[in-house]
Amino acid sequence: MSSHTNVVRVAVLGSTGSIGLSTLDVLERNRDRYRVFALAAHSSREQLREQCLRHAPAFAALADPEAAQRLADDLLAAGSPTRVLAGPEALAEIAAHPEVDAVMAAIVGAAGLPSSLAAARAGKRILLANKEALVMSGPLFMEAVRAGGATLIPVDSEHNAVFQCMPAPCIAGQRAAGVRRILLTASGGPFLRTPAAELADVTPEQACAHPRWVMGRKISVDSATLMNKGLELIEACLLFDLPPAQVEVVIHPQSIVHSFVEYLDGSMLAQLGNPDMRTPIAHALGWPERLASGVESLDVVGAGRLEFEAPDLERFPALQLARTAAEAAGTAPTVLNAANEIAVEAFLEGRLAFADIPAVIGNVLAQHRVGPAASLEDVLAADAWARRQARAELGARPGAWA
Ligand code: NAD
Ligand code: MG
């Protein structure tokens, strides 16, 4: 928080995405206390233009330089005071800007790493949705948070739930006393009841039609393979400093219980609520205070039965791959994440069958010699290696509908 004023200045990175839009909604409901200082996205210039005219941020950035130039022209013509920055470096610059108090890290994938790291090093309050950046850089990211004096608050609904169930003051990256295990809940995705034989032919549209949450396409596919829960397992180990054996996954199709923390005495605390990302976003923004989010009260009677079941690791091998990578540590999570990004992109473009997503990732992991992820160079080298390897795997397979 700024020392001069009570208004918190927020940079929303990934403002045109699903999390970005929910964040802007929460910020508008709390405009007496929050100001949109900067907005950033990849290339959706028309959407960003509308957002700039509505929120009048000091800065807007697009990673795509051509789109940024056109946005700058548009905003100039509209008499907007917003300054437009261009290129991937601009996003990190914004994240570390001295006038920014809080950074919503809501870019999807490894592309979010430089800006998330910049926010950590600059000691910002980081509202972390971009789980891929944390998973790929692991201890390095947590060390940057510590060294920079940043405050890291998870936005991922499960981790935000765990954070809320931890003893206060919960500091990300520090193990809380008395915790026996974390139980992450998973909706199970759109294919929870789909027989293995039918999984091979599912389309991107089916995979992106999530029963409980409306999300970006990449995380929707991750939810359908359960890789999302695998990434979240690694995310939980890092955020709460627990070994993988103390983080379990349970399928909960209703998505009402967002996760559990179990203590040594047998107590289990859970956070419940309607499945709406504005709840964890508002929590992360306001913590330790509470903000209005626009989310309706949970109708516990209407919600009916809450069910829990074990995940099926045979139909959803991605979860097991992630657990293996978590146990191997070092560069293994980096490789898992990178291979997954390539495989998901290929699936979304119709070049890979759904059931082959975990197969590609598994083959890449099997060929990887795990090394230390001690420096950013180590991380970027492992990431690049895994992307090359995954592309080679794709080349060796028939296309999904070829
Ligand atoms: P999305 O696809 O809807 O939005 C992604 C945003 O990132 C867009 O604004 C896009 O312009 C921007 N972006 C993409 N590539 C970029 C690049 N190279 N440079 C700069 N900006 C880029 O995704 P989403 O569903 O909002 O998810 C965002 C992140 O939040 C992901 O890491 C996801 O795992 C995480 N998350 C999302 C949800 C959810 O409910 N949507 C829940 C938990 C966690
Ligand atoms: Mg989640």
Side-chain angles (χ1 to χ4, degrees), residues 14 16-19 41-42 106-107 111 129-132 156 215-216 219 277:
T16 58
S18 160
I19 293 288
H42 180 249
I107 290 171
N130 178 211
K131 68 192 89 182
E132 296 93 347
D156 212 349
M215 309 179 287
I219 184 176
M277 288 307 293

Side-chain angles (χ1 to χ4, degrees), residues 17-149:
S18 160
I19 293 288
L21 294 175
S22 293
T23 302
L24 290 176
D25 182 275
V26 173
L27 290 172
E28 276 202 283
R29 289 168 195 277
N30 295 278
R31 35 155 67 110
D32 51 326
R33 295 192 41 202
Y34 295 88
R35 181 165 152 236
V36 179
F37 182 79
L39 294 171
H42 180 249
S43 54
S44 10
R45 110 190 126 81
E46 295 199 0
Q47 208 181 348
L48 200 59
R49 173 183 177 276
E50 294 309 310
Q51 292 182 346
C52 287
L53 294 179
R54 191 176 178 101
H55 298 278
F59 293 97
L62 282 172
D64 175 347
E66 236 169 81
Q69 186 53 55
R70 292 181 65 185
L71 175 67
D73 295 343
D74 289 354
L75 288 179
L76 195 66
S80 156
T82 300
R83 248 190 78 194
V84 177
L85 306 177
E89 326 75 50
L91 277 71
E93 204 179 302
I94 280 179
H97 193 285
E99 282 178 64
V100 167
D101 301 304
V103 175
M104 166 54 80
I107 290 171
V108 59
L113 180 64
S115 51
S116 297
L117 257 186
R121 290 179 176 144
K124 304 299 187 191
R125 181 186 186 107
I126 308 172
L127 321 177
L128 187 76
N130 178 211
K131 68 192 89 182
E132 296 93 347
L134 176 60
V135 168
M136 76 184 280
S137 64
L140 192 79
F141 190 88
M142 297 309 294
E143 182 47 37
V145 168
R146 268 188 293 276

Side-chain angles (χ1 to χ4, degrees), residues 131 156-158 228-229 232:
K131 68 192 89 182
D156 212 349
S157 58
E158 298 76 6
N228 183 48
K229 214 49 55 178
E232 291 184 357

Side-chain angles (χ1 to χ4, degrees), residues 12-347:
V12 184
L13 308 182
S15 66
T16 58
S18 160
I19 293 288
L21 294 175
S22 293
T23 302
L24 290 176
D25 182 275
V26 173
L27 290 172
E28 276 202 283
R29 289 168 195 277
N30 295 278
R31 35 155 67 110
D32 51 326
R33 295 192 41 202
Y34 295 88
R35 181 165 152 236
V36 179
F37 182 79
L39 294 171
H42 180 249
S43 54
S44 10
R45 110 190 126 81
E46 295 199 0
Q47 208 181 348
L48 200 59
R49 173 183 177 276
E50 294 309 310
Q51 292 182 346
C52 287
L53 294 179
R54 191 176 178 101
H55 298 278
F59 293 97
L62 282 172
D64 175 347
E66 236 169 81
Q69 186 53 55
R70 292 181 65 185
L71 175 67
D73 295 343
D74 289 354
L75 288 179
L76 195 66
S80 156
T82 300
R83 248 190 78 194
V84 177
L85 306 177
E89 326 75 50
L91 277 71
E93 204 179 302
I94 280 179
H97 193 285
E99 282 178 64
V100 167
D101 301 304
V103 175
M104 166 54 80
I107 290 171
V108 59
L113 180 64
S115 51
S116 297
L117 257 186
R121 290 179 176 144
K124 304 299 187 191
R125 181 186 186 107
I126 308 172
L127 321 177
L128 187 76
N130 178 211
K131 68 192 89 182
E132 296 93 347
L134 176 60
V135 168
M136 76 184 280
S137 64
L140 192 79
F141 190 88
M142 297 309 294
E143 182 47 37
V145 168
R146 268 188 293 276
T151 305
L152 182 60
I153 310 191
V155 167
D156 212 349
S157 58
E158 298 76 6
H159 306 75
N160 184 267
V162 168
F163 188 92
Q164 294 197 43
C165 297
M166 284 289 184
C170 172
I171 296 174
Q174 282 184 20
R175 189 175 306 192
V179 171
R180 185 146 69 190
R181 62 175 177 148
I182 286 174
L183 209 50
L184 298 175
T185 53
S187 70
F191 307 132
L192 179 58
R193 308 282 174 229
T194 307
E198 288 171 30
L199 281 180
D201 311 313
V202 299
T203 64
E205 281 55 48
Q206 290 171 308
C208 291
H210 196 277
R212 302 279 162 199
W213 304 92
V214 180
M215 309 179 287
R217 284 166 74 79
K218 193 266 177 179
I219 184 176
S220 294
V221 176
D222 286 346
S223 298
T225 59
L226 287 201
M227 181 55 91
N228 183 48
K229 214 49 55 178
L231 298 174
E232 291 184 357
L233 162 73
I234 299 170
E235 183 184 10
C237 293
L238 292 161
L239 288 174
F240 305 108
D241 187 30
L242 288 171
Q246 278 170 264
V247 182
E248 289 172 36
V249 171
V250 64
I251 303 291
H252 167 45
Q254 292 78 19
S255 296
I256 298 275
V257 176
H258 299 305
S259 282
F260 301 87
V261 175
E262 184 184 313
Y263 287 88
L264 291 176
D265 58 8
S267 295
M268 289 189 93
L269 302 192
Q271 186 258 358
L272 288 74
N274 281 319
D276 187 322
M277 288 307 293
R278 291 176 302 173
T279 294
I281 290 168
H283 174 268
L285 266 172
W287 181 84
E289 288 166 37
R290 296 279 176 173
L291 300 178
S293 67
V295 177
E296 286 182 19
S297 293
L298 171 65
D299 172 4
V300 288
V301 175
R305 294 169 71 92
L306 299 184
E307 297 161 307
F308 301 94
E309 60 189 84
D312 179 347
L313 297 180
E314 278 178 27
R315 273 187 311 133
F316 301 103
L319 186 54
Q320 191 52 47
L321 289 173
R323 188 172 285 284
T324 305
E327 280 158 1
T331 48
T334 318
V335 166
L336 175 92
N337 177 67
N340 181 56
E341 287 192 22
I342 296 298
V344 170
E345 182 184 78
F347 168 67

